[in-house]
Amino acid sequence: MRNLSGSHVEEFVLVGFPTTPPLQLLLFVLFFAIYLLTLLENALIVFTIWLTPSLHRPMYFFLGHLSFLELWYINVTIPQLLAAFLTQDSRVSYVGCMTQLYFFIALACTECVLLAVMAYDRYLAICGPLHYPSLMPSSLATRLAAASWGSGFFSSMMKLLFISQLSYCGPNIINHFFCDISPLLNLTCSDKEQAELVDFLLALVMILLPLLAVVSSYTAIIAAILRIPTSRGRRKAFSTCATHLAVVVIYYSSTLFTYARPRAMYTFNHNKIISVLYTVIVPSLNPAICCLRNKEVKEAFRKAVMGRCHYPKDVPD
């Protein structure tokens, strides 16, 4: 569909998952259940950390930001996925597509930087435990979290600035369940070389540099853990960062496979299936990995819930 001048697409058609109606209904119910579970998990983590003074420390401060980010992230992507199961072709306006793309890129980049900040925090806690309170005060933790959000949204703004300058003359069919960079670049009828270069350079900065920081931090952490003389001490030190390392491995492996795999693989219709991994599965696994194995968070959650149930406030007459 074009505007009155006939030179610009006004809306895009998102091709979902064309399967049989019974299978579409089954997938809709499955992913809607995952959506509700992920919402509940992350919301509980955010409120538990917020309401528990003993968890007001940098490690849990960053974890709260990660859960809040996941709440926002799934509300950008999963509704589009659910719509793809309800209708084979869903339509989104040009402005709506660009808005969706902006928040998707911003939140993805923010998560990359935030995971690197969390790795640096674990490095300070394990490699310099005696000096950790002075090395990572609450003021520094706040600035690092703000820098993670700011860099992610600024990177997205720069990418969108170049993508929005491209002309889209038709066709307007996107073989995806949400607006992503690669499908949009493939639809443009103008020179996309500059936009692709900016996208590549910013991806290099926002994905590979944080990944390098994560690898460097965990190399130092593993070296420090191996120097601990007792096996009990090594297990205790490794348990403080094992959950975060698992989240990092899952997130970066799915992200890098999606955006760094050979161009020839884009000819297969697997891009949407892989996208489900990092837009749905990863956000649902993060809370379980980070918190179900964390005794302090579980205990704080138990006290917050069970304590209110067993010891309700006195009701005035």
Side-chain angles (χ1 to χ4, degrees), residues 224-234:
I225 290 176
L226 293 177
R227 290 196 295 268
I228 298 176
T230 63
S231 59
R232 181 180 179 182
R234 289 193 294 269

Side-chain angles (χ1 to χ4, degrees), residues 57-241:
R57 306 199 303 271
M59 173 182 175
Y60 299 107
F61 175 74
F62 295 132
L63 181 58
H65 275 268
L66 180 63
S67 293
F68 179 75
L69 185 149
E70 299 290 15
L71 279 173
W72 196 350
Y73 189 78
I74 62 173
N75 280 295
V76 171
T77 56
I78 296 186
Q80 289 295 134
L81 176 62
L82 295 177
F85 291 126
L86 291 178
T87 59
Q88 291 188 359
D89 297 331
S90 60
R91 296 178 181 271
V92 59
S93 67
Y94 175 83
V95 174
C97 186
M98 292 300 161
T99 302
Q100 184 185 112
L101 180 63
Y102 172 75
F103 283 107
F104 171 73
I105 297 173
L107 295 173
C109 292
T110 299
E111 185 162 1
C112 286
V113 180
L114 188 58
L115 289 174
V117 168
M118 293 173 72
Y120 176 67
D121 173 70
R122 292 299 83 207
Y123 160 75
L124 294 180
I126 293 176
C127 297
L130 298 179
H131 303 286
Y132 177 73
S134 60
L135 293 174
M136 183 60 73
S138 58
S139 58
L140 178 59
T142 301
R143 289 196 296 269
L144 288 174
S148 301
W149 286 94
S151 60
F153 278 77
F154 177 77
S155 172
S156 180
M157 182 180 67
M158 294 303 297
K159 286 191 177 188
L160 202 69
L161 181 65
F162 285 88
I163 293 176
S164 61
Q165 298 300 316
L166 300 175
S167 298
Y168 297 92
C169 312
N172 63 340
I173 299 176
I174 298 178
N175 188 21
H176 213 306
F177 61 87
F178 68 92
C179 293
D180 203 358
I181 295 178
S182 296
L184 282 173
L185 290 178
N186 289 333
L187 290 181
T188 183
C189 55
S190 57
D191 185 11
K192 59 183 178 180
E193 183 176 349
Q194 192 175 30
E196 286 182 325
L197 178 61
V198 171
D199 176 51
F200 172 77
L201 293 177
L202 288 176
L204 197 67
V205 172
M206 300 304 298
I207 296 179
L208 292 186
L209 288 185
L211 180 59
L212 180 61
V214 169
V215 172
S216 301
S217 296
Y218 274 103
T219 299
I221 287 172
I222 293 173
I225 290 176
L226 293 177
R227 290 196 295 268
I228 298 176
T230 63
S231 59
R232 181 180 179 182
R234 289 193 294 269
R235 285 196 302 269
K236 184 178 180 180
F238 185 73
S239 65
T240 63
C241 61

Side-chain angles (χ1 to χ4, degrees), residues 5-42:
S5 64
S7 60
H8 189 75
V9 168
E10 289 183 343
E11 66 178 11
F12 293 100
V13 178
L14 299 175
V15 179
F17 294 86
T19 59
T20 60
L23 181 57
Q24 282 188 321
L25 180 60
L26 177 63
L27 291 174
F28 174 83
V29 173
L30 173 63
F31 284 106
F32 184 66
I34 294 175
Y35 174 59
L36 294 180
L37 178 63
T38 307
L39 276 178
L40 179 62
E41 287 177 334
N42 286 287

